[in-house]
């Protein structure tokens, strides 16, 4: 396997009224193509800061970040945005859908910034919606869907550009147990077909769907280990 991303001695500092907070303090690791990695840590551990840097939404204060062949330091904000739209997919805790727009329109959004013609866009949207089992809801307004269905729409939107990697930020945080299990099974299925998944979560049972767990504390990596028994049953979400 080849590395999709690699970080070396990554640091991120925030200055506020003369004081400095070290959100990340010398983080180093790599993620290989096809991995399913969970990043865990308590509130304030630096896991969200790390995700923002990995997904090109923020820059580190120092250290090196390489995504595929791209060194982040060599790229402008416009170039980062282009790579982010083309190579990365995103799933957020709050769904980030347009409630008055249809499922189709929400999933199509990342393609509107591309030069893909409407006919080809339609096929890509329908394929992504089918992948999450929402074909019958494709013309339904997002605001009329359940929480679990909204997150499945968000997954379809993340898939529509056929990204190299999907970043999921607390994807089950606003869901009930049954919907959370369904979302995690979809992510696991995507990983089983070769998709690289990076998941940030504070929930142990969600993290253990992954095959590798990176635990962050006080801006440093506390542990980085394989998860040998990663498959969870739906019943585990009700405990």
């Amino acid at each position: 396997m080849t590395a999709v991303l690699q970080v070396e001695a990554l640091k991120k500092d925030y200055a506020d009224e003369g004081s400095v907070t070290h959100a990340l303090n010398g983080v180093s690791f790599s993620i290989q193509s096809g991995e399913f990695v969970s990043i865990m840590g308590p509130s304030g551990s630096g896991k969200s800061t790390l995700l923002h840097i990995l997904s090109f939404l923020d820059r580190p204060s120092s250290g090196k970040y390489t995504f595929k062949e791209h060194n982040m330091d060599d790229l402008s904000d416009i170039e980062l945005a282009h790579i982010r739209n083309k190579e990365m997919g995103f799933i957020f805790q709050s769904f980030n859908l347009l409630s008055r727009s249809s499922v189709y329109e929400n999933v199509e959004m990342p393609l509107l910034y591309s030069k893909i013609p409407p006919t080809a866009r339609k096929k890509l949207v329908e394929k992504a919606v089918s992948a999450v089992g929402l074909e019958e809801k494709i013309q339904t307004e997002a605001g009329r869907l359940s929480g679990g269905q909204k997150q499945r729409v968000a997954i379809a939107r993340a898939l529509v550009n056929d990204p190299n990697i999907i970043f999921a930020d607390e994807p089950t945080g606003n869901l009930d147990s049954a919907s959370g299990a369904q979302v995690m099974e979809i992510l696991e299925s995507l990983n089983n077909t070769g998709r690289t998944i990076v998941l940030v979560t504070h929930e142990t049972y969600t993290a253990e769907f992954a095959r590798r767990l990176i635990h962050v504390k006080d801006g440093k990596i506390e542990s980085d280990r394989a998860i040998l028994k990663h498959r969870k049953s739906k019943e585990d979400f009700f405990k």
Side-chain angles (χ1 to χ4, degrees), residues 197-233:
I197 311 287
V198 178
L199 166 73
V200 166
T201 182
H202 69 278
E203 301 165 332
T204 301
Y205 52 80
T206 300
E208 289 180 352
F209 269 84
R211 301 172 188 270
R212 176 181 169 196
L213 174 60
I214 297 175
H215 197 277
V216 181
K217 185 177 181 181
D218 297 330
K220 298 180 180 180
I221 293 179
E222 190 174 51
S223 64
D224 184 348
R225 62 179 177 85
I227 300 176
L228 299 180
K229 187 180 179 181
H230 68 280
R231 184 66 174 94
K232 304 294 286 184
S233 68

PDB file of all heavy atoms in Angstrom, residues 197-233:
ATOM      1  N   ILE A 197     -10.801   5.734   4.843  1.00  0.00           N
ATOM      2  CA  ILE A 197     -11.680   6.448   5.758  1.00  0.00           C
ATOM      3  C   ILE A 197     -10.883   6.929   6.963  1.00  0.00           C
ATOM      4  O   ILE A 197     -10.143   6.157   7.569  1.00  0.00           O
ATOM      5  CB  ILE A 197     -12.832   5.547   6.276  1.00  0.00           C
ATOM      6  CG1 ILE A 197     -13.543   4.818   5.134  1.00  0.00           C
ATOM      7  CG2 ILE A 197     -13.803   6.361   7.133  1.00  0.00           C
ATOM      8  CD1 ILE A 197     -14.425   5.665   4.291  1.00  0.00           C
ATOM      9  N   VAL A 198     -11.035   8.216   7.308  1.00  0.00           N
ATOM     10  CA  VAL A 198     -10.470   8.759   8.543  1.00  0.00           C
ATOM     11  C   VAL A 198     -11.628   9.291   9.376  1.00  0.00           C
ATOM     12  O   VAL A 198     -12.324  10.219   8.955  1.00  0.00           O
ATOM     13  CB  VAL A 198      -9.436   9.872   8.272  1.00  0.00           C
ATOM     14  CG1 VAL A 198      -8.915  10.443   9.587  1.00  0.00           C
ATOM     15  CG2 VAL A 198      -8.278   9.327   7.438  1.00  0.00           C
ATOM     16  N   LEU A 199     -11.819   8.701  10.527  1.00  0.00           N
ATOM     17  CA  LEU A 199     -12.961   8.999  11.388  1.00  0.00           C
ATOM     18  C   LEU A 199     -12.491   9.641  12.685  1.00  0.00           C
ATOM     19  O   LEU A 199     -11.600   9.117  13.357  1.00  0.00           O
ATOM     20  CB  LEU A 199     -13.699   7.693  11.691  1.00  0.00           C
ATOM     21  CG  LEU A 199     -14.720   7.679  12.829  1.00  0.00           C
ATOM     22  CD1 LEU A 199     -15.978   8.428  12.407  1.00  0.00           C
ATOM     23  CD2 LEU A 199     -15.063   6.243  13.219  1.00  0.00           C
ATOM     24  N   VAL A 200     -13.073  10.782  13.030  1.00  0.00           N
ATOM     25  CA  VAL A 200     -12.837  11.402  14.337  1.00  0.00           C
ATOM     26  C   VAL A 200     -14.063  11.167  15.199  1.00  0.00           C
ATOM     27  O   VAL A 200     -15.189  11.458  14.779  1.00  0.00           O
ATOM     28  CB  VAL A 200     -12.554  12.904  14.204  1.00  0.00           C
ATOM     29  CG1 VAL A 200     -12.644  13.588  15.565  1.00  0.00           C
ATOM     30  CG2 VAL A 200     -11.180  13.144  13.613  1.00  0.00           C
ATOM     31  N   THR A 201     -13.866  10.610  16.390  1.00  0.00           N
ATOM     32  CA  THR A 201     -14.986  10.310  17.267  1.00  0.00           C
ATOM     33  C   THR A 201     -14.525  10.259  18.718  1.00  0.00           C
ATOM     34  O   THR A 201     -13.339  10.054  18.991  1.00  0.00           O
ATOM     35  CB  THR A 201     -15.644   8.966  16.888  1.00  0.00           C
ATOM     36  OG1 THR A 201     -16.771   8.715  17.747  1.00  0.00           O
ATOM     37  CG2 THR A 201     -14.651   7.814  17.012  1.00  0.00           C
ATOM     38  N   HIS A 202     -15.467  10.449  19.639  1.00  0.00           N
ATOM     39  CA  HIS A 202     -15.169  10.253  21.056  1.00  0.00           C
ATOM     40  C   HIS A 202     -15.832   8.981  21.562  1.00  0.00           C
ATOM     41  O   HIS A 202     -15.709   8.628  22.729  1.00  0.00           O
ATOM     42  CB  HIS A 202     -15.661  11.453  21.876  1.00  0.00           C
ATOM     43  CG  HIS A 202     -17.155  11.561  21.938  1.00  0.00           C
ATOM     44  ND1 HIS A 202     -17.895  12.129  20.921  1.00  0.00           N
ATOM     45  CD2 HIS A 202     -18.046  11.154  22.871  1.00  0.00           C
ATOM     46  CE1 HIS A 202     -19.184  12.073  21.244  1.00  0.00           C
ATOM     47  NE2 HIS A 202     -19.299  11.487  22.417  1.00  0.00           N
ATOM     48  N   GLU A 203     -16.533   8.259  20.656  1.00  0.00           N
ATOM     49  CA  GLU A 203     -17.284   7.073  21.037  1.00  0.00           C
ATOM     50  C   GLU A 203     -16.488   5.804  20.731  1.00  0.00           C
ATOM     51  O   GLU A 203     -16.174   5.530  19.573  1.00  0.00           O
ATOM     52  CB  GLU A 203     -18.620   7.043  20.286  1.00  0.00           C
ATOM     53  CG  GLU A 203     -19.496   8.259  20.556  1.00  0.00           C
ATOM     54  CD  GLU A 203     -20.631   8.399  19.564  1.00  0.00           C
ATOM     55  OE1 GLU A 203     -20.481   7.950  18.417  1.00  0.00           O
ATOM     56  OE2 GLU A 203     -21.677   8.954  19.942  1.00  0.00           O
ATOM     57  N   THR A 204     -16.198   5.032  21.747  1.00  0.00           N
ATOM     58  CA  THR A 204     -15.390   3.823  21.577  1.00  0.00           C
ATOM     59  C   THR A 204     -16.045   2.835  20.624  1.00  0.00           C
ATOM     60  O   THR A 204     -15.390   2.271  19.739  1.00  0.00           O
ATOM     61  CB  THR A 204     -15.140   3.147  22.931  1.00  0.00           C
ATOM     62  OG1 THR A 204     -14.459   4.065  23.792  1.00  0.00           O
ATOM     63  CG2 THR A 204     -14.293   1.897  22.774  1.00  0.00           C
ATOM     64  N   TYR A 205     -17.348   2.622  20.772  1.00  0.00           N
ATOM     65  CA  TYR A 205     -18.007   1.619  19.928  1.00  0.00           C
ATOM     66  C   TYR A 205     -18.034   2.042  18.464  1.00  0.00           C
ATOM     67  O   TYR A 205     -18.015   1.205  17.563  1.00  0.00           O
ATOM     68  CB  TYR A 205     -19.421   1.324  20.433  1.00  0.00           C
ATOM     69  CG  TYR A 205     -20.305   2.519  20.654  1.00  0.00           C
ATOM     70  CD1 TYR A 205     -20.957   3.152  19.612  1.00  0.00           C
ATOM     71  CD2 TYR A 205     -20.503   3.020  21.940  1.00  0.00           C
ATOM     72  CE1 TYR A 205     -21.779   4.240  19.831  1.00  0.00           C
ATOM     73  CE2 TYR A 205     -21.319   4.110  22.171  1.00  0.00           C
ATOM     74  CZ  TYR A 205     -21.953   4.719  21.112  1.00  0.00           C
ATOM     75  OH  TYR A 205     -22.761   5.795  21.329  1.00  0.00           O
ATOM     76  N   THR A 206     -18.054   3.358  18.204  1.00  0.00           N
ATOM     77  CA  THR A 206     -17.959   3.836  16.823  1.00  0.00           C
ATOM     78  C   THR A 206     -16.542   3.668  16.296  1.00  0.00           C
ATOM     79  O   THR A 206     -16.326   3.194  15.176  1.00  0.00           O
ATOM     80  CB  THR A 206     -18.372   5.317  16.747  1.00  0.00           C
ATOM     81  OG1 THR A 206     -19.719   5.457  17.205  1.00  0.00           O
ATOM     82  CG2 THR A 206     -18.274   5.843  15.330  1.00  0.00           C
ATOM     83  N   ALA A 207     -15.568   4.021  17.106  1.00  0.00           N
ATOM     84  CA  ALA A 207     -14.161   3.929  16.695  1.00  0.00           C
ATOM     85  C   ALA A 207     -13.765   2.516  16.319  1.00  0.00           C
ATOM     86  O   ALA A 207     -12.944   2.294  15.424  1.00  0.00           O
ATOM     87  CB  ALA A 207     -13.260   4.440  17.814  1.00  0.00           C
ATOM     88  N   GLU A 208     -14.366   1.533  16.977  1.00  0.00           N
ATOM     89  CA  GLU A 208     -13.949   0.152  16.779  1.00  0.00           C
ATOM     90  C   GLU A 208     -14.493  -0.475  15.501  1.00  0.00           C
ATOM     91  O   GLU A 208     -14.240  -1.644  15.232  1.00  0.00           O
ATOM     92  CB  GLU A 208     -14.306  -0.681  18.007  1.00  0.00           C
ATOM     93  CG  GLU A 208     -13.424  -0.316  19.203  1.00  0.00           C
ATOM     94  CD  GLU A 208     -13.725  -1.117  20.449  1.00  0.00           C
ATOM     95  OE1 GLU A 208     -14.733  -1.868  20.466  1.00  0.00           O
ATOM     96  OE2 GLU A 208     -12.953  -0.996  21.415  1.00  0.00           O
ATOM     97  N   PHE A 209     -15.215   0.293  14.694  1.00  0.00           N
ATOM     98  CA  PHE A 209     -15.522  -0.161  13.339  1.00  0.00           C
ATOM     99  C   PHE A 209     -14.268  -0.067  12.469  1.00  0.00           C
ATOM    100  O   PHE A 209     -14.181  -0.703  11.427  1.00  0.00           O
ATOM    101  CB  PHE A 209     -16.631   0.693  12.736  1.00  0.00           C
ATOM    102  CG  PHE A 209     -18.008   0.156  12.965  1.00  0.00           C
ATOM    103  CD1 PHE A 209     -18.665   0.431  14.146  1.00  0.00           C
ATOM    104  CD2 PHE A 209     -18.642  -0.629  12.019  1.00  0.00           C
ATOM    105  CE1 PHE A 209     -19.943  -0.050  14.384  1.00  0.00           C
ATOM    106  CE2 PHE A 209     -19.910  -1.115  12.239  1.00  0.00           C
ATOM    107  CZ  PHE A 209     -20.577  -0.836  13.427  1.00  0.00           C
ATOM    108  N   ALA A 210     -13.324   0.773  12.867  1.00  0.00           N
ATOM    109  CA  ALA A 210     -12.086   0.956  12.109  1.00  0.00           C
ATOM    110  C   ALA A 210     -11.149  -0.225  12.330  1.00  0.00           C
ATOM    111  O   ALA A 210     -11.411  -1.123  13.135  1.00  0.00           O
ATOM    112  CB  ALA A 210     -11.410   2.260  12.526  1.00  0.00           C
ATOM    113  N   ARG A 211     -10.053  -0.208  11.615  1.00  0.00           N
ATOM    114  CA  ARG A 211      -9.039  -1.254  11.750  1.00  0.00           C
ATOM    115  C   ARG A 211      -7.782  -0.742  12.458  1.00  0.00           C
ATOM    116  O   ARG A 211      -6.871  -1.497  12.722  1.00  0.00           O
ATOM    117  CB  ARG A 211      -8.675  -1.806  10.365  1.00  0.00           C
ATOM    118  CG  ARG A 211      -9.872  -2.393   9.621  1.00  0.00           C
ATOM    119  CD  ARG A 211      -9.534  -2.761   8.198  1.00  0.00           C
ATOM    120  NE  ARG A 211     -10.724  -3.143   7.453  1.00  0.00           N
ATOM    121  CZ  ARG A 211     -11.198  -4.386   7.373  1.00  0.00           C
ATOM    122  NH1 ARG A 211     -10.561  -5.359   8.006  1.00  0.00           N
ATOM    123  NH2 ARG A 211     -12.280  -4.651   6.676  1.00  0.00           N
ATOM    124  N   ARG A 212      -7.786   0.564  12.730  1.00  0.00           N
ATOM    125  CA  ARG A 212      -6.633   1.172  13.408  1.00  0.00           C
ATOM    126  C   ARG A 212      -7.133   2.338  14.241  1.00  0.00           C
ATOM    127  O   ARG A 212      -8.016   3.080  13.802  1.00  0.00           O
ATOM    128  CB  ARG A 212      -5.623   1.656  12.368  1.00  0.00           C
ATOM    129  CG  ARG A 212      -4.404   2.396  12.911  1.00  0.00           C
ATOM    130  CD  ARG A 212      -3.526   2.838  11.767  1.00  0.00           C
ATOM    131  NE  ARG A 212      -2.483   3.770  12.149  1.00  0.00           N
ATOM    132  CZ  ARG A 212      -1.799   4.522  11.282  1.00  0.00           C
ATOM    133  NH1 ARG A 212      -2.034   4.417   9.979  1.00  0.00           N
ATOM    134  NH2 ARG A 212      -0.858   5.362  11.704  1.00  0.00           N
ATOM    135  N   LEU A 213      -6.565   2.476  15.431  1.00  0.00           N
ATOM    136  CA  LEU A 213      -7.000   3.530  16.349  1.00  0.00           C
ATOM    137  C   LEU A 213      -5.804   4.384  16.768  1.00  0.00           C
ATOM    138  O   LEU A 213      -4.825   3.879  17.319  1.00  0.00           O
ATOM    139  CB  LEU A 213      -7.651   2.918  17.589  1.00  0.00           C
ATOM    140  CG  LEU A 213      -8.034   3.882  18.716  1.00  0.00           C
ATOM    141  CD1 LEU A 213      -9.034   4.918  18.227  1.00  0.00           C
ATOM    142  CD2 LEU A 213      -8.605   3.116  19.908  1.00  0.00           C
ATOM    143  N   ILE A 214      -5.898   5.689  16.488  1.00  0.00           N
ATOM    144  CA  ILE A 214      -4.903   6.655  16.946  1.00  0.00           C
ATOM    145  C   ILE A 214      -5.539   7.445  18.081  1.00  0.00           C
ATOM    146  O   ILE A 214      -6.572   8.090  17.892  1.00  0.00           O
ATOM    147  CB  ILE A 214      -4.468   7.601  15.814  1.00  0.00           C
ATOM    148  CG1 ILE A 214      -3.796   6.822  14.681  1.00  0.00           C
ATOM    149  CG2 ILE A 214      -3.528   8.684  16.350  1.00  0.00           C
ATOM    150  CD1 ILE A 214      -3.437   7.675  13.473  1.00  0.00           C
ATOM    151  N   HIS A 215      -4.938   7.385  19.256  1.00  0.00           N
ATOM    152  CA  HIS A 215      -5.478   8.099  20.413  1.00  0.00           C
ATOM    153  C   HIS A 215      -4.631   9.339  20.676  1.00  0.00           C
ATOM    154  O   HIS A 215      -3.410   9.253  20.818  1.00  0.00           O
ATOM    155  CB  HIS A 215      -5.483   7.204  21.655  1.00  0.00           C
ATOM    156  CG  HIS A 215      -6.384   7.715  22.750  1.00  0.00           C
ATOM    157  ND1 HIS A 215      -5.991   8.672  23.648  1.00  0.00           N
ATOM    158  CD2 HIS A 215      -7.675   7.428  23.051  1.00  0.00           C
ATOM    159  CE1 HIS A 215      -6.987   8.940  24.480  1.00  0.00           C
ATOM    160  NE2 HIS A 215      -8.027   8.204  24.135  1.00  0.00           N
ATOM    161  N   VAL A 216      -5.293  10.504  20.701  1.00  0.00           N
ATOM    162  CA  VAL A 216      -4.615  11.790  20.876  1.00  0.00           C
ATOM    163  C   VAL A 216      -4.945  12.348  22.251  1.00  0.00           C
ATOM    164  O   VAL A 216      -6.092  12.312  22.692  1.00  0.00           O
ATOM    165  CB  VAL A 216      -5.038  12.784  19.772  1.00  0.00           C
ATOM    166  CG1 VAL A 216      -4.315  14.118  19.950  1.00  0.00           C
ATOM    167  CG2 VAL A 216      -4.773  12.217  18.398  1.00  0.00           C
ATOM    168  N   LYS A 217      -3.935  12.877  22.922  1.00  0.00           N
ATOM    169  CA  LYS A 217      -4.140  13.508  24.228  1.00  0.00           C
ATOM    170  C   LYS A 217      -3.148  14.656  24.379  1.00  0.00           C
ATOM    171  O   LYS A 217      -1.959  14.502  24.091  1.00  0.00           O
ATOM    172  CB  LYS A 217      -3.950  12.497  25.364  1.00  0.00           C
ATOM    173  CG  LYS A 217      -4.256  13.057  26.748  1.00  0.00           C
ATOM    174  CD  LYS A 217      -4.119  11.979  27.814  1.00  0.00           C
ATOM    175  CE  LYS A 217      -4.444  12.528  29.196  1.00  0.00           C
ATOM    176  NZ  LYS A 217      -4.294  11.477  30.245  1.00  0.00           N
ATOM    177  N   ASP A 218      -3.642  15.802  24.788  1.00  0.00           N
ATOM    178  CA  ASP A 218      -2.801  16.992  24.999  1.00  0.00           C
ATOM    179  C   ASP A 218      -1.946  17.319  23.782  1.00  0.00           C
ATOM    180  O   ASP A 218      -0.782  17.713  23.904  1.00  0.00           O
ATOM    181  CB  ASP A 218      -1.912  16.796  26.226  1.00  0.00           C
ATOM    182  CG  ASP A 218      -2.717  16.636  27.512  1.00  0.00           C
ATOM    183  OD1 ASP A 218      -3.813  17.212  27.578  1.00  0.00           O
ATOM    184  OD2 ASP A 218      -2.250  15.929  28.418  1.00  0.00           O
ATOM    185  N   GLY A 219      -2.525  17.132  22.593  1.00  0.00           N
ATOM    186  CA  GLY A 219      -1.831  17.501  21.363  1.00  0.00           C
ATOM    187  C   GLY A 219      -0.770  16.529  20.908  1.00  0.00           C
ATOM    188  O   GLY A 219      -0.036  16.818  19.964  1.00  0.00           O
ATOM    189  N   LYS A 220      -0.696  15.367  21.547  1.00  0.00           N
ATOM    190  CA  LYS A 220       0.293  14.356  21.173  1.00  0.00           C
ATOM    191  C   LYS A 220      -0.391  13.017  20.943  1.00  0.00           C
ATOM    192  O   LYS A 220      -1.485  12.773  21.448  1.00  0.00           O
ATOM    193  CB  LYS A 220       1.352  14.206  22.279  1.00  0.00           C
ATOM    194  CG  LYS A 220       2.160  15.459  22.547  1.00  0.00           C
ATOM    195  CD  LYS A 220       3.181  15.215  23.650  1.00  0.00           C
ATOM    196  CE  LYS A 220       4.011  16.461  23.930  1.00  0.00           C
ATOM    197  NZ  LYS A 220       5.012  16.229  25.008  1.00  0.00           N
ATOM    198  N   ILE A 221       0.281  12.147  20.187  1.00  0.00           N
ATOM    199  CA  ILE A 221      -0.247  10.801  19.984  1.00  0.00           C
ATOM    200  C   ILE A 221       0.108   9.954  21.196  1.00  0.00           C
ATOM    201  O   ILE A 221       1.279   9.714  21.487  1.00  0.00           O
ATOM    202  CB  ILE A 221       0.310  10.168  18.696  1.00  0.00           C
ATOM    203  CG1 ILE A 221      -0.229  10.927  17.480  1.00  0.00           C
ATOM    204  CG2 ILE A 221      -0.089   8.693  18.610  1.00  0.00           C
ATOM    205  CD1 ILE A 221       0.266  10.396  16.159  1.00  0.00           C
ATOM    206  N   GLU A 222      -0.918   9.511  21.904  1.00  0.00           N
ATOM    207  CA  GLU A 222      -0.723   8.686  23.090  1.00  0.00           C
ATOM    208  C   GLU A 222      -0.542   7.216  22.719  1.00  0.00           C
ATOM    209  O   GLU A 222       0.241   6.495  23.349  1.00  0.00           O
ATOM    210  CB  GLU A 222      -1.910   8.843  24.033  1.00  0.00           C
ATOM    211  CG  GLU A 222      -1.713   8.213  25.401  1.00  0.00           C
ATOM    212  CD  GLU A 222      -2.858   8.527  26.338  1.00  0.00           C
ATOM    213  OE1 GLU A 222      -4.025   8.318  25.931  1.00  0.00           O
ATOM    214  OE2 GLU A 222      -2.595   8.982  27.466  1.00  0.00           O
ATOM    215  N   SER A 223      -1.257   6.772  21.676  1.00  0.00           N
ATOM    216  CA  SER A 223      -1.113   5.402  21.199  1.00  0.00           C
ATOM    217  C   SER A 223      -1.572   5.320  19.753  1.00  0.00           C
ATOM    218  O   SER A 223      -2.365   6.144  19.291  1.00  0.00           O
ATOM    219  CB  SER A 223      -1.913   4.420  22.065  1.00  0.00           C
ATOM    220  OG  SER A 223      -3.301   4.695  21.981  1.00  0.00           O
ATOM    221  N   ASP A 224      -1.069   4.329  19.049  1.00  0.00           N
ATOM    222  CA  ASP A 224      -1.413   4.086  17.649  1.00  0.00           C
ATOM    223  C   ASP A 224      -1.358   2.574  17.457  1.00  0.00           C
ATOM    224  O   ASP A 224      -0.287   1.984  17.420  1.00  0.00           O
ATOM    225  CB  ASP A 224      -0.420   4.802  16.737  1.00  0.00           C
ATOM    226  CG  ASP A 224      -0.767   4.678  15.249  1.00  0.00           C
ATOM    227  OD1 ASP A 224      -1.641   3.856  14.904  1.00  0.00           O
ATOM    228  OD2 ASP A 224      -0.160   5.398  14.437  1.00  0.00           O
ATOM    229  N   ARG A 225      -2.530   1.944  17.353  1.00  0.00           N
ATOM    230  CA  ARG A 225      -2.545   0.480  17.346  1.00  0.00           C
ATOM    231  C   ARG A 225      -3.593  -0.053  16.378  1.00  0.00           C
ATOM    232  O   ARG A 225      -4.556   0.636  16.016  1.00  0.00           O
ATOM    233  CB  ARG A 225      -2.865  -0.049  18.743  1.00  0.00           C
ATOM    234  CG  ARG A 225      -4.235   0.355  19.287  1.00  0.00           C
ATOM    235  CD  ARG A 225      -4.506  -0.219  20.654  1.00  0.00           C
ATOM    236  NE  ARG A 225      -5.775   0.212  21.216  1.00  0.00           N
ATOM    237  CZ  ARG A 225      -6.936  -0.378  20.968  1.00  0.00           C
ATOM    238  NH1 ARG A 225      -6.977  -1.432  20.149  1.00  0.00           N
ATOM    239  NH2 ARG A 225      -8.057   0.064  21.513  1.00  0.00           N
ATOM    240  N   ALA A 226      -3.388  -1.284  15.954  1.00  0.00           N
ATOM    241  CA  ALA A 226      -4.367  -1.971  15.120  1.00  0.00           C
ATOM    242  C   ALA A 226      -5.529  -2.448  15.983  1.00  0.00           C
ATOM    243  O   ALA A 226      -5.358  -2.773  17.157  1.00  0.00           O
ATOM    244  CB  ALA A 226      -3.713  -3.152  14.423  1.00  0.00           C
ATOM    245  N   ILE A 227      -6.721  -2.447  15.397  1.00  0.00           N
ATOM    246  CA  ILE A 227      -7.895  -3.002  16.051  1.00  0.00           C
ATOM    247  C   ILE A 227      -8.154  -4.359  15.410  1.00  0.00           C
ATOM    248  O   ILE A 227      -8.563  -4.446  14.255  1.00  0.00           O
ATOM    249  CB  ILE A 227      -9.124  -2.082  15.893  1.00  0.00           C
ATOM    250  CG1 ILE A 227      -8.851  -0.710  16.503  1.00  0.00           C
ATOM    251  CG2 ILE A 227     -10.358  -2.717  16.529  1.00  0.00           C
ATOM    252  CD1 ILE A 227      -9.976   0.284  16.304  1.00  0.00           C
ATOM    253  N   LEU A 228      -7.878  -5.423  16.149  1.00  0.00           N
ATOM    254  CA  LEU A 228      -7.947  -6.763  15.583  1.00  0.00           C
ATOM    255  C   LEU A 228      -9.389  -7.224  15.404  1.00  0.00           C
ATOM    256  O   LEU A 228      -9.744  -7.860  14.424  1.00  0.00           O
ATOM    257  CB  LEU A 228      -7.182  -7.744  16.463  1.00  0.00           C
ATOM    258  CG  LEU A 228      -5.684  -7.435  16.616  1.00  0.00           C
ATOM    259  CD1 LEU A 228      -5.011  -8.466  17.519  1.00  0.00           C
ATOM    260  CD2 LEU A 228      -4.996  -7.396  15.258  1.00  0.00           C
ATOM    261  N   LYS A 229     -10.240  -6.893  16.361  1.00  0.00           N
ATOM    262  CA  LYS A 229     -11.650  -7.260  16.278  1.00  0.00           C
ATOM    263  C   LYS A 229     -12.439  -5.982  16.092  1.00  0.00           C
ATOM    264  O   LYS A 229     -12.964  -5.411  17.019  1.00  0.00           O
ATOM    265  CB  LYS A 229     -12.107  -7.989  17.546  1.00  0.00           C
ATOM    266  CG  LYS A 229     -13.527  -8.552  17.442  1.00  0.00           C
ATOM    267  CD  LYS A 229     -13.915  -9.272  18.734  1.00  0.00           C
ATOM    268  CE  LYS A 229     -15.345  -9.805  18.640  1.00  0.00           C
ATOM    269  NZ  LYS A 229     -15.764 -10.494  19.883  1.00  0.00           N
ATOM    270  N   HIS A 230     -12.528  -5.528  14.824  1.00  0.00           N
ATOM    271  CA  HIS A 230     -13.101  -4.217  14.566  1.00  0.00           C
ATOM    272  C   HIS A 230     -14.584  -4.263  14.252  1.00  0.00           C
ATOM    273  O   HIS A 230     -15.268  -3.257  14.346  1.00  0.00           O
ATOM    274  CB  HIS A 230     -12.369  -3.532  13.406  1.00  0.00           C
ATOM    275  CG  HIS A 230     -12.598  -4.208  12.090  1.00  0.00           C
ATOM    276  ND1 HIS A 230     -11.912  -5.337  11.724  1.00  0.00           N
ATOM    277  CD2 HIS A 230     -13.450  -3.923  11.076  1.00  0.00           C
ATOM    278  CE1 HIS A 230     -12.311  -5.723  10.526  1.00  0.00           C
ATOM    279  NE2 HIS A 230     -13.238  -4.900  10.110  1.00  0.00           N
ATOM    280  N   ARG A 231     -15.118  -5.416  13.860  1.00  0.00           N
ATOM    281  CA  ARG A 231     -16.522  -5.488  13.442  1.00  0.00           C
ATOM    282  C   ARG A 231     -17.443  -5.430  14.643  1.00  0.00           C
ATOM    283  O   ARG A 231     -17.302  -6.186  15.579  1.00  0.00           O
ATOM    284  CB  ARG A 231     -16.766  -6.776  12.647  1.00  0.00           C
ATOM    285  CG  ARG A 231     -18.194  -6.879  12.097  1.00  0.00           C
ATOM    286  CD  ARG A 231     -18.416  -5.801  11.050  1.00  0.00           C
ATOM    287  NE  ARG A 231     -19.717  -5.980  10.427  1.00  0.00           N
ATOM    288  CZ  ARG A 231     -20.814  -5.353  10.839  1.00  0.00           C
ATOM    289  NH1 ARG A 231     -20.771  -4.546  11.871  1.00  0.00           N
ATOM    290  NH2 ARG A 231     -21.943  -5.546  10.209  1.00  0.00           N
ATOM    291  N   LYS A 232     -18.401  -4.517  14.618  1.00  0.00           N
ATOM    292  CA  LYS A 232     -19.356  -4.363  15.703  1.00  0.00           C
ATOM    293  C   LYS A 232     -20.745  -4.765  15.221  1.00  0.00           C
ATOM    294  O   LYS A 232     -21.080  -4.578  14.060  1.00  0.00           O
ATOM    295  CB  LYS A 232     -19.407  -2.918  16.202  1.00  0.00           C
ATOM    296  CG  LYS A 232     -18.070  -2.366  16.639  1.00  0.00           C
ATOM    297  CD  LYS A 232     -17.525  -3.051  17.855  1.00  0.00           C
ATOM    298  CE  LYS A 232     -18.270  -2.640  19.088  1.00  0.00           C
ATOM    299  NZ  LYS A 232     -17.705  -3.222  20.319  1.00  0.00           N
ATOM    300  N   SER A 233     -21.550  -5.315  16.077  1.00  0.00           N
ATOM    301  CA  SER A 233     -22.917  -5.657  15.742  1.00  0.00           C
ATOM    302  C   SER A 233     -23.842  -4.500  16.072  1.00  0.00           C
ATOM    303  O   SER A 233     -23.508  -3.625  16.868  1.00  0.00           O
ATOM    304  CB  SER A 233     -23.358  -6.900  16.519  1.00  0.00           C
ATOM    305  OG  SER A 233     -23.448  -6.605  17.895  1.00  0.00           O
TER     306      SER A 233
END
